[in-house]
């Protein structure tokens, strides 16, 4: 079949390719493989020789279809001051993704070009047939094809060329392409969606190299001349004139040979096809004309006589082949039957030979028994086959009976149909009689009906046109969206690369400053060296991190308004602040892309599309909260956890917050004065609470006043302002922040935690010391040797839940898990903090320096994932029951100690009263003596 396909290919004509049309073999092959329409995929490929500038030729593989070989053809272009249509020859150039246009196909110099790299394509529905627009950032080119099919073909091919070029351009620049997205070039037959326009077949004779043989439309029209490019017009005219007289091979875009040569070549090809040797050979048309040194081949049309002969030869050969195949099959069946007979004869012969060769009676008997068994088996097999044959006969009889019944039913239906047809004929005659009677009265109605029918047809045509336009626009939007998405992904990958480079730079600078700090503390340097190191350190501290070129947008404040790096006031700690800022920036750059994507995916899978009331407690939610929630989902999950704890109270008092705010407004003298004093000292490092006129300050005041009325036993103590401020930053709504504060103080934290004597908090400090002695024995022994009491530091951690003690990105992770699991999360993170910095703490041997370091070291934590891993993995087991038992034990001891202190205080007071009475008696006796 391949030889037949090649023999039917028409002889090529001479076509020369200008530099604007040269293309690589690989690009041409890729374009052909993706650009075939449904009708062209089954055609065989031929070789195409392209003349290169150096005189060599590149062999390309393509299909005989013009669209798969070269995108070119005549289009009308609107231009000039009169906006007239001018016929132009358009050629797509692969290497630069540009559409060149000429006045004729034989011209050598283009009149202009259209850049398709950033172009979009559309067509107006109400415009002239075949009109479409190519919109580039610089201009809009209006073109018109011969008909609607050619218009859609050009639009789809330009879409495909643009997409392929962008992909090849990205590969040429070695831009990384994501693995999870593959480009879907055009909606082909396999992946075509219902809302996409299917691929249009190549319009014959209107596009491709075949169109070059047609005369140029409007060639002699004066309006078809280019007024803008007179010099190019003159060059093309002179070039054409010289080539017509010299008969040399021209370097134009497409040159069509003499028609007589084409006919001769076609006749020679036809004669070649008719011979048997030519039908079996695979010689290409280019090799048949190698003596003329052709640069390119292109198929031309054949007449009907040239097509009929190969078809007749093909049908004859096919019938002969089928007849031979039937004879071969019959001979094969005969041979198989003979083989079976021969095998049976050989088996019988072998059995007789064994019987004659047997010597004793026993062997004869054994052979006879074996034969009888064999006969019995064959008889059984014969009976089974007869039974099966009988069953098949019964089935056949039953089917014959069914067929007879069906035939009877068919006859009945035919009779009924005939009867119905007779009725219909009678009714039709009656209707015709009635129609003749009412023909005059219904004349106007028929005209109106005809008009409505015409309007209906017009509307159907408009609807069809709108559907076609919508399908094409869907395809264009799909292509543009795919290109935009891939550009965004490539840009994102470059941003990640830049972030990694910047993070490495920050790490190197941090190490450099750390070495400077060690040199500054070294005692082995002489005064000159020490002075030089001090100068370098001072210069490094003065250098502002924000003045550096930031390749990634890392701000000075995070999304909740907290300052990212600590601002130390002490001169000796400014270098430490600079080192910490560099480490934090490095971690942010390295972790933001790595962590945010998977975490958002997990949250979306668990929470997307589910209202707050449908969330349920689960192990998956617990693990997600321990990892930390993204900001997009934090407020929603916090509301769920708060409502799950105070649901019954809120249902009993739905307007509780408004009532408490009204009480605070009507009785301001009963509100604790300490609230006003602490408002300006709340979260001073947060930009949202810094200005006194901030709306969050006013909301915070109302929340704290309402809580003092809600829980008069506690009222207000220092620390509650920071808890309420964190709730406001996350939840934004002041009523939600109020209920969050109620849940934390009344439901999650132990009893007597925020009373005047802080008994609950003191008990937890003793529980923490017990846990440290068990899980961190070396550190506990070192602190006891220095007589350092960690409760002086950790009591603030427990009262305000690490607010302003931890970096905010870690602080909110702690709160996420705390609102779900309770106070044991605070114990886990407190132990994890000491474990994280254990080696550094063990190196400090001065108690004053130890207290100073313990006060600031939580804010120097950089790796939040490492801290979380220590808290929930290394600190296991830490069950809630263990904490409750130890807290109860220490509470008993504290109450006993408090009771003992009360007794001592009472005894002291009684003794003090007795002493005063004795002094008064002594003074009275002295006065009496004087008297």
């Amino acid at each position: 079949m391949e030889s037949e396909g090649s023999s039917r290919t028409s002889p090529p004509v001479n076509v020369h390719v200008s530099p604007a049309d040269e293309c690589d073999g690989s690009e041409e092959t890729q374009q052909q493989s993706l650009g075939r329409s449904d009708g062209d995929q089954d055609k065989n490929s031929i070789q195409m020789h392209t003349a290169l500038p150096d005189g060599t030729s590149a062999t390309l593989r393509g299909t005989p279809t013009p669209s798969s070989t070269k995108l070119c053809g005549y289009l009308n272009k609107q231009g000039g001051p009169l906006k007239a249509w001018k016929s132009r020859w358009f050629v797509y150039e692969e290497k630069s993704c540009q559409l060149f246009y000429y006045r004729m196909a034989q011209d050598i110099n283009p009149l202009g070009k259209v850049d398709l790299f950033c172009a979009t394509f559309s067509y107006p529905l109400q415009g002239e047939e075949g009109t479409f627009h190519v919109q580039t950032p610089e201009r809009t080119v209006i073109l018109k094809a011969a008909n609607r099919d050619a218009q859609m073909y050009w639009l789809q091919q330009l879409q495909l060329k643009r997409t392929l070029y962008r992909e090849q351009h990205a590969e040429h620049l070695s831009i990384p392409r994501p693995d999870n997205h593959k480009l879907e070039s055009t909606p082909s037959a396999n992946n075509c969606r219902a809302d996409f326009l299917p691929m249009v077949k190549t319009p014959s004779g209107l596009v491709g190299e075949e169109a070059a043989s047609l005369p140029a439309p409007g060639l002699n029209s004066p309006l078809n001349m280019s007024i803008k490019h007179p010099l190019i017009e003159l060059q093309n005219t002179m070039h054409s004139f010289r080539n017509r007289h010299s008969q040399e091979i021209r370097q134009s875009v497409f040159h069509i040979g003499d028609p007589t040569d084409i006919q001769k070549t076609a006749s020679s090809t036809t004669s070649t096809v008719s011979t048997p040797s030519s039908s079996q050979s695979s010689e290409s048309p280019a090799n048949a004309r190698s003596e003329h040194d052709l640069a390119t081949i292109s198929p031309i049309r054949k007449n009907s006589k040239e097509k009929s002969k190969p078809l007749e030869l093909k049908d004859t050969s096919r019938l002969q082949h089928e007849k031979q195949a039937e004879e071969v099959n019959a001979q094969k069946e005969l041979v198989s039957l003979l083989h079976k007979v021969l095998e049976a004869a050989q088996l019988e012969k072998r059995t007789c030979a064994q019987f004659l060769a047997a010597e004793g009676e026993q062997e004869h008997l054994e052979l006879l028994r074996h034969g009888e068994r064999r006969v019995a088996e064959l008889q059984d097999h014969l009976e089974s086959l007869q039974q099966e044959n009988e069953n098949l006969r019964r089935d056949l009889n039953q089917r014959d009976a069914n067929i007879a019944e069906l035939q009877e039913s068919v006859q009945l239906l035919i009779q009924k149909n005939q009867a119905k047809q007779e009725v219909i004929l009678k009714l039709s005659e009656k209707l015709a009689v009635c129609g003749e009677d009412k023909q005059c009265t219904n004349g106007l109605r028929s005209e109106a009906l005809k008009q409505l029918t015409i309007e209906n047809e017009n509307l159907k045509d408009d609807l069809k046109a709108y559907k076609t336009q919508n399908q094409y626009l869907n395809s264009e939007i799909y292509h543009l969206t795919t290109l935009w998405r891939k550009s965004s992904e490539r840009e994102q990958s470059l941003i990640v690369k830049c972030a990694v480079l910047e993070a490495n730079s920050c790490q190197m600078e941090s190490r450099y400053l750390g070495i400077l700090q060690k040199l500054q503390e070294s005692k082995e340097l002489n005064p000159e060296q020490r002075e030089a190191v001090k100068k370098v350190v001072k210069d490094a501290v003065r250098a502002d991190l924000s003045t550096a070129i930031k390749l990634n947008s890392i701000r000075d404040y995070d999304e909740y308004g907290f300052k990212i790096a600590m601002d130390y006031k002490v001169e000796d700690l400014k270098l430490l602040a600079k080192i910490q800022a560099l480490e934090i920036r490095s971690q942010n750059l390295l972790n933001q892309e790595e962590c945010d994507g998977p975490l958002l995916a997990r949250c979306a899978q668990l929470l997307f599309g589910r209202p707050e009331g449908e969330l349920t407690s689960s192990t998956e939610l617990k693990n997600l909260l321990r990892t930390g929630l993204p900001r997009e989902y934090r407020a929603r999950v916090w509301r769920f956890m708060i409502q799950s704890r105070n649901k019954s109270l809120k249902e009993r008092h739905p307007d509780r917050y408004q009532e408490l705010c009204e009480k605070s407004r009507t009785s301001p003298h009963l509100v604790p004065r300490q609230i006003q004093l602490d408002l300006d000292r709340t979260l001073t490092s947060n930009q949202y609470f810094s200005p006194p006129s901030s709306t969050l300050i006013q909301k915070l005041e109302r929340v704290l006043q309402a809580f003092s009325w809600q829980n008069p036993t506690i009222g207000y103590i220092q620390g509650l302002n920071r808890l309420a401020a964190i709730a406001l930053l996350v939840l934004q709504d002041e009523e939600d922040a109020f209920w969050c504060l109620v849940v934390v103080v009344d439901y999650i934290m132990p009893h007597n935690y925020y009373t005047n004597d802080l008994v609950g908090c003191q008990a937890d400090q003793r529980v923490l010391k017990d846990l440290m002695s068990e899980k961190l024995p070396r550190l506990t022994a070192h602190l006891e040797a220095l007589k350092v009491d960690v409760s002086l530091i950790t009591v603030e951690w427990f009262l305000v839940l690490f607010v302003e003690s931890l970096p905010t990105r870690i602080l909110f992770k702690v709160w996420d898990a705390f609102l779900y699991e309770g106070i044991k999360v605070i114990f886990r993170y407190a132990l994890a903090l000491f474990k994280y910095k254990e080696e550094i703490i063990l190196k400090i041997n001065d108690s004053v320096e130890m207290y100073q370091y313990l006060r600031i070291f939580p804010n120097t934590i950089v790796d939040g994932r490492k801290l979380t891993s220590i808290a929930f993995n290394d600190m296991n087991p830490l069950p809630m029951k263990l904490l409750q038992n130890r807290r109860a034990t220490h509470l008993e001891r504290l109450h006993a100690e408090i009771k003992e202190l009360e007794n001592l205080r009472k005894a002291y007071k009684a003794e003090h009263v007795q002493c005063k009475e004795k002094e008064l008696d002594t003074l009275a006796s002295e006065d009496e003596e004087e008297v």
Side-chain angles (χ1 to χ4, degrees):
M1 297 303 293
E2 183 178 359
S3 62
E4 294 175 5
S6 61
S7 65
R8 287 197 301 269
T9 305
S10 302
V13 294
N14 293 338
V15 177
H16 290 276
V17 180
S18 68
D21 299 323
E22 293 173 1
C23 61
D24 296 336
S26 61
E27 295 175 352
E28 188 71 25
T29 305
Q30 186 176 6
Q31 181 265 334
Q32 293 163 6
S33 63
L34 291 175
R36 293 177 182 172
S37 61
D38 296 338
D40 302 328
Q41 291 177 352
D42 297 331
K43 295 185 179 181
N44 300 321
S45 60
I46 63 171
Q47 287 188 344
M48 175 176 173
H49 299 274
T50 303
L52 299 179
D54 56 357
T56 61
S57 64
T59 302
L60 306 178
R61 285 285 175 184
T63 61
T65 311
S67 62
S68 63
T69 304
K70 177 68 66 177
L71 180 59
C72 54
Y74 280 106
L75 293 173
N76 290 325
K77 177 179 177 294
Q78 191 180 74
L82 300 178
K83 300 295 182 182
W85 293 108
K86 298 181 180 181
S87 176
R88 294 289 181 261
W89 175 259
F90 283 83
V91 180
Y92 175 75
E93 204 276 315
E94 296 279 352
K95 289 187 176 180
S96 61
C97 193
Q98 292 175 338
L99 196 64
F100 289 87
Y101 55 92
Y102 306 76
R103 192 168 69 90
M104 295 186 301
Q106 291 76 20
D107 290 345
I108 186 172
N109 294 322
L111 299 176
K113 61 183 180 180
V114 182
D115 191 0
L116 304 181
F117 184 77
C118 298
T120 59
F121 314 109
S122 62
Y123 69 93
L125 194 63
Q126 303 299 333
E128 298 183 33
E129 182 180 2
T131 304
F132 61 96
H133 297 171
V134 180
Q135 297 174 342
T136 65
E138 296 81 15
R139 57 174 177 162
T140 299
V141 182
I142 303 176
L143 305 175
K144 184 171 71 171
N147 51 41
R148 191 172 297 278
D149 290 340
Q151 170 201 28
M152 297 311 301
Y153 175 81
W154 272 96
L155 287 170
Q156 290 180 344
Q157 290 298 316
L158 291 176
Q159 278 184 343
L160 175 62
K161 301 291 186 182
R162 177 190 60 192
T163 305
L164 289 177
Y165 179 79
R166 290 180 71 98
E167 282 296 301
Q168 294 168 0
H169 183 68
E171 294 175 359
H172 177 69
L173 296 178
S174 300
I175 297 177
R177 188 168 53 181
D179 298 333
N180 57 343
H181 295 293
K182 294 183 179 179
L183 180 64
E184 298 175 5
S185 56
T186 55
S188 62
N190 296 329
N191 62 350
C192 181
R193 291 176 50 181
D195 51 354
F196 284 173
L197 188 67
M199 290 297 293
V200 178
K201 294 183 179 181
T202 306
S204 177
L206 296 180
V207 294
E209 298 169 356
E210 184 179 347
S213 61
L214 301 177
L219 181 61
N220 299 324
S221 175
L223 293 176
N224 203 38
M225 301 295 293
S226 177
I227 303 175
K228 279 187 176 180
H229 310 91
L231 183 59
I232 296 177
E233 287 279 4
L234 182 60
Q235 290 176 353
N236 290 333
T237 304
M238 294 300 297
H239 186 271
S240 176
F241 180 76
R242 285 199 305 269
N243 289 343
R244 279 201 303 269
H245 285 77
S246 62
Q247 294 298 322
E248 295 177 351
I249 299 176
R250 295 175 292 175
Q251 301 297 321
S252 63
V253 179
F254 285 95
H255 166 63
I256 306 303
D258 190 79
T260 58
D261 296 338
I262 297 174
Q263 292 177 2
K264 292 178 182 179
T265 309
S267 62
S268 63
T269 306
T270 306
S271 62
T272 305
V273 171
S274 61
T275 60
S277 59
S278 64
S279 63
Q280 297 175 359
S281 63
S282 59
E283 183 179 1
S284 65
N287 293 334
R289 304 224 6 186
S290 59
E291 61 183 3
H292 299 289
D293 192 16
L294 294 176
T296 280
I297 65 168
S298 64
I300 63 173
R301 297 178 179 175
K302 294 183 178 182
N303 53 32
S304 60
K305 292 181 180 180
E306 292 174 339
K307 292 181 179 178
S308 60
K309 292 181 180 180
L311 291 175
E312 292 175 0
L313 291 175
K314 180 181 177 180
D315 294 338
T316 305
S317 61
R318 181 174 57 80
L319 292 174
Q320 292 177 356
H321 185 269
E322 291 178 355
K323 186 175 181 181
Q324 292 175 359
E326 291 177 358
E327 292 178 357
V328 170
N329 292 332
Q331 292 176 1
K332 285 182 178 179
E333 292 178 359
L334 179 60
V335 169
S336 63
L337 290 174
L338 292 175
H339 273 295
K340 292 180 180 179
V341 172
L342 182 60
E343 288 177 359
Q346 288 178 352
L347 180 61
E348 185 177 357
K349 180 181 178 182
R350 192 182 304 114
T351 305
C352 293
Q354 289 178 358
F355 182 78
L356 294 174
E359 297 178 356
E361 291 294 332
Q362 188 67 26
E363 294 181 0
H364 283 288
L365 291 174
E366 188 65 31
L367 289 174
L368 290 174
R369 289 171 185 168
H370 177 71
E372 290 176 355
R373 286 195 299 270
R374 180 66 178 166
V375 169
E377 292 176 358
L378 291 174
Q379 286 178 352
D380 294 338
H381 183 61
L382 179 61
E383 290 177 357
S384 64
L385 291 176
Q386 290 176 350
Q387 184 67 28
E388 184 178 358
N389 188 19
E390 189 66 25
N391 294 334
L392 291 174
R393 285 180 180 176
R394 283 198 298 270
D395 293 341
L396 182 61
N397 294 331
Q398 187 176 0
R399 290 183 182 180
D400 291 339
N402 292 334
I403 290 172
E405 292 177 359
L406 292 173
Q407 288 178 349
E408 292 177 0
S409 301
V410 168
Q411 291 297 328
L412 290 175
L413 290 174
I414 291 173
Q415 293 174 2
K416 289 181 180 179
N417 190 19
Q418 291 176 353
K420 288 180 180 179
Q421 288 179 354
E422 293 176 357
V423 173
I424 290 171
L425 288 174
K426 292 179 181 179
L427 292 175
S428 299
E429 291 175 356
K430 292 181 180 179
L431 184 62
V433 172
C434 294
E436 291 175 357
D437 296 338
K438 298 181 180 179
Q439 185 174 6
C440 297
T441 58
N442 293 336
L444 296 176
R445 294 181 182 178
S446 62
E447 289 294 332
L449 181 61
K450 189 181 296 183
Q451 187 68 23
L452 290 174
T453 304
I454 294 173
E455 291 180 1
N456 188 24
E457 292 297 328
N458 294 335
L459 290 175
K460 286 182 179 179
D461 293 340
D462 292 343
L463 180 61
K464 185 177 180 181
Y466 278 116
K467 284 182 178 180
T468 304
Q469 186 189 40
N470 186 39
Q471 288 176 338
Y472 169 75
L473 292 176
N474 286 340
S475 175
E476 178 69 7
I477 292 170
Y478 169 77
H479 277 272
L480 294 175
T481 304
T482 303
L483 295 174
W484 171 81
R485 186 184 71 244
K486 289 188 171 293
S487 299
S488 300
E489 290 169 352
R490 289 166 186 152
E491 181 184 3
Q492 191 65 24
S493 64
L494 291 176
I495 290 175
V496 171
K497 281 187 177 180
C498 294
V500 171
L501 293 175
E502 188 179 358
N504 294 334
S505 175
C506 290
Q507 289 176 355
M508 295 298 294
E509 188 176 356
S510 174
R511 293 171 188 169
Y512 163 72
L513 294 178
I515 294 172
L516 286 180
Q517 185 181 16
K518 291 181 181 179
L519 286 175
Q520 188 179 12
E521 296 172 356
S522 177
K523 298 179 181 179
E524 299 177 357
L525 300 177
N526 55 42
E528 295 180 358
Q529 294 173 342
R530 193 179 300 277
E531 190 65 28
V533 170
K534 281 186 178 180
K535 184 177 179 182
V536 173
V537 169
K538 190 175 293 185
D539 294 340
V541 171
R542 286 177 182 174
D544 188 6
L545 185 65
S546 62
T547 59
I549 299 176
K550 296 183 180 181
L551 301 177
N552 201 309
S553 57
I554 303 296
R555 301 169 298 174
D556 294 332
Y557 292 90
D558 62 13
E559 62 270 18
Y560 290 106
F562 287 96
K563 196 172 181 64
I564 294 176
M566 288 182 3
D567 188 13
Y568 293 105
K569 303 298 182 184
V570 183
E571 187 70 23
D572 296 338
L573 297 178
K574 286 187 176 180
L575 181 61
L576 179 62
K578 184 67 179 290
I579 295 173
Q580 179 196 351
L582 289 169
E583 290 179 352
I584 291 174
R585 180 170 177 77
S586 174
Q587 286 293 327
N588 287 341
L589 289 169
L590 291 175
N591 292 338
Q592 63 180 0
E593 293 296 334
E594 180 181 354
C595 299
D596 290 349
L599 189 58
L600 282 172
R602 288 176 60 191
C603 289
Q605 183 179 3
L606 182 63
L607 307 174
F608 182 73
R610 301 175 63 182
E612 296 172 7
E614 293 184 4
L615 293 177
T616 55
S617 301
S618 61
T619 306
E620 187 177 359
L621 179 61
K622 179 180 177 181
N623 295 332
L624 185 62
L625 292 170
R626 287 184 173 186
T627 307
L629 293 168
R631 187 187 180 189
E632 294 84 350
Y633 297 95
R634 178 166 284 128
R636 179 182 168 195
V637 178
W638 278 27
R639 290 190 188 96
F640 158 70
M641 293 186 290
I642 293 167
Q643 291 174 5
S644 63
R645 292 181 183 270
N646 70 337
K647 186 176 181 180
S648 59
L649 175 62
K650 199 170 181 180
E651 288 177 353
R652 291 197 306 270
H653 307 284
D655 300 327
R656 183 65 171 170
Y657 179 71
Q658 288 76 15
E659 295 172 358
L660 296 176
C661 288
E662 184 64 22
K663 280 186 179 181
S664 301
R665 189 179 63 81
T666 55
S667 305
H669 59 283
L670 298 178
V671 176
R673 180 174 174 77
Q674 188 65 34
I675 293 176
Q676 293 290 337
L677 299 177
D678 285 348
L679 287 177
D680 296 334
R681 294 180 288 190
T682 302
L683 302 185
T684 55
S685 62
N686 190 286
Q687 61 179 352
Y688 299 129
F689 284 94
S690 297
S693 60
S694 172
T695 56
L696 285 183
I697 293 287
Q698 300 171 9
K699 291 181 179 179
L700 178 64
E701 181 180 6
R702 290 193 290 269
V703 169
L704 294 176
Q705 290 174 355
F707 181 80
S708 65
W709 285 99
Q710 169 70 18
N711 194 336
T713 304
I714 296 176
Y716 173 79
I717 66 168
Q718 289 182 343
L720 296 181
N721 58 329
R722 286 185 271 185
L723 300 180
I726 292 295
L728 274 173
L729 285 174
V730 175
L731 302 172
Q732 295 298 316
D733 183 72
E734 56 183 282
E735 184 176 359
D736 292 337
F738 164 75
W739 287 114
C740 180
L741 184 61
V742 170
V743 166
V744 169
V745 176
D746 295 343
Y747 290 86
I748 299 179
M749 300 301 284
H751 187 58
N752 295 333
Y753 222 81
Y754 294 99
T755 54
N756 292 329
D757 53 5
L758 303 176
V759 177
C761 187
Q762 291 184 50
D764 279 350
Q765 300 312 304
R766 296 189 180 187
V767 174
L768 178 64
K769 289 181 181 179
D770 292 345
L771 295 174
M772 286 182 65
S773 62
E774 295 174 4
K775 299 184 180 294
L776 304 169
R778 286 197 307 150
L779 184 62
T780 304
H782 183 69
L783 293 174
E784 289 177 354
L786 295 176
K787 297 181 180 179
V788 173
D789 187 4
V790 293
S791 62
L792 299 177
I793 305 297
T794 58
V795 67
E796 185 180 6
W797 298 356
F798 281 74
L799 283 175
V800 297
L801 306 178
F802 291 108
V803 177
E804 293 189 318
S805 296
L806 281 173
T808 53
R809 67 187 185 282
I810 304 175
L811 172 66
F812 286 108
K813 284 186 179 182
V814 176
W815 275 64
D816 291 340
F818 164 75
L819 290 174
Y820 187 83
E821 299 183 50
I823 195 171
K824 71 174 181 178
V825 173
I826 307 300
F827 281 98
R828 285 184 177 276
Y829 273 98
L831 294 170
L833 284 171
F834 287 111
K835 180 67 176 177
Y836 190 99
K837 296 288 186 178
E838 182 179 13
E839 298 301 327
I840 298 176
I841 296 174
L842 290 174
K843 295 178 182 178
I844 301 175
N845 296 315
D846 182 69
S847 58
V848 177
E849 185 180 357
M850 179 68 75
Y851 276 117
Q852 188 177 13
Y853 181 76
L854 293 178
R855 199 173 296 112
I856 66 171
F857 89 94
N859 257 315
T860 63
I861 301 296
V862 175
D863 195 347
R865 287 186 297 169
K866 179 181 176 182
L867 183 67
T868 302
S869 176
I870 295 172
F872 293 105
N873 295 326
D874 297 354
M875 294 298 113
N876 285 333
L878 192 63
M880 192 68 177
K881 190 174 182 179
L882 173 66
L883 298 178
Q884 292 173 350
N885 293 336
R886 294 196 176 184
R887 183 186 293 118
T889 302
H890 286 293
L891 279 174
E892 290 180 3
R893 295 176 183 175
L894 279 171
H895 285 306
E897 292 174 3
I898 292 172
K899 188 174 182 180
E900 185 178 354
L901 287 173
E902 287 292 332
N903 294 332
L904 291 174
R905 189 180 293 110
K906 289 179 181 179
Y908 174 76
K909 285 183 178 180
E911 184 179 354
H912 186 64
V913 169
Q914 291 178 359
C915 291
K916 282 188 176 182
E917 289 176 354
K918 288 181 180 179
E919 290 178 359
L920 291 174
D921 292 342
T922 304
L923 290 173
S925 60
E926 289 178 356
D927 292 339
E928 290 176 357
E929 290 177 358
E930 290 177 359
V931 173

